[in-house]
Structures are given as C-alpha cells and as structure tokens.
Amino acid sequence: VTALVERHTSDGTATPRLGVALRTVRVRTPGQTADRPALLVLDIARGSAADLAGLLPGDVLLAADGAPLDAAA
C-alpha cells in the first residue's frame, strides 16, 4: 500500500488524497491484553489510491509503513 500511495501522491501537483473516509476505533488484536487505537475504513472513493490499493469498507488499519495508526486526521 505504501508504494502505491507514494506513487499517487508524490507528483507535487496537489494536496495528497487517499480517497478514504476513516473513523478512529479501539481494537484488541490476538495476543494483546489491552485495546489499541486503529482506523476503521468507512468509505472508499472509486478510482482513488485507497481503491487501487484494495482497501475495502470495514477494513481495520493498525499501521502504515510500520508506524502505528492512532487517529484519523
């Protein structure tokens, strides 16, 4: 996903847009004893970088490029 996002946002012609609506949620992953922040995919814009990367509504994103995700900014 990271390489695809970089390819679609690195031309410098516009503000980068992934084409995804997100909500911050808390989830408990296997082996964890506490909830952690994550992002829930609510909607995907057709033809967007998120769509081309294969994201789907209902997906839960825990990290991007190895960095934990904790807020839909």
Side-chain angles (χ1 to χ4, degrees), residues 20-44:
V20 62
L22 303 167
R23 175 181 292 155
T24 304
V25 295
R26 299 202 55 87
V27 298
R28 185 167 300 166
T29 56
Q32 299 286 320
T33 58
D35 291 347
R36 62 180 279 188
L39 300 177
L40 174 65
V41 176
L42 300 174
D43 194 23
I44 302 289

Side-chain angles (χ1 to χ4, degrees), residues 1-66:
V1 171
T2 301
L4 182 65
V5 169
E6 287 175 359
R7 188 172 74 227
H8 285 278
T9 60
S10 64
D11 66 0
T13 59
T15 302
R17 301 258 189 260
L18 295 178
V20 62
L22 303 167
R23 175 181 292 155
T24 304
V25 295
R26 299 202 55 87
V27 298
R28 185 167 300 166
T29 56
Q32 299 286 320
T33 58
D35 291 347
R36 62 180 279 188
L39 300 177
L40 174 65
V41 176
L42 300 174
D43 194 23
I44 302 289
R46 185 173 295 158
S48 67
D51 185 31
L52 296 173
L55 292 177
L56 298 169
D59 284 349
V60 176
L61 308 176
L62 301 174
D65 200 22

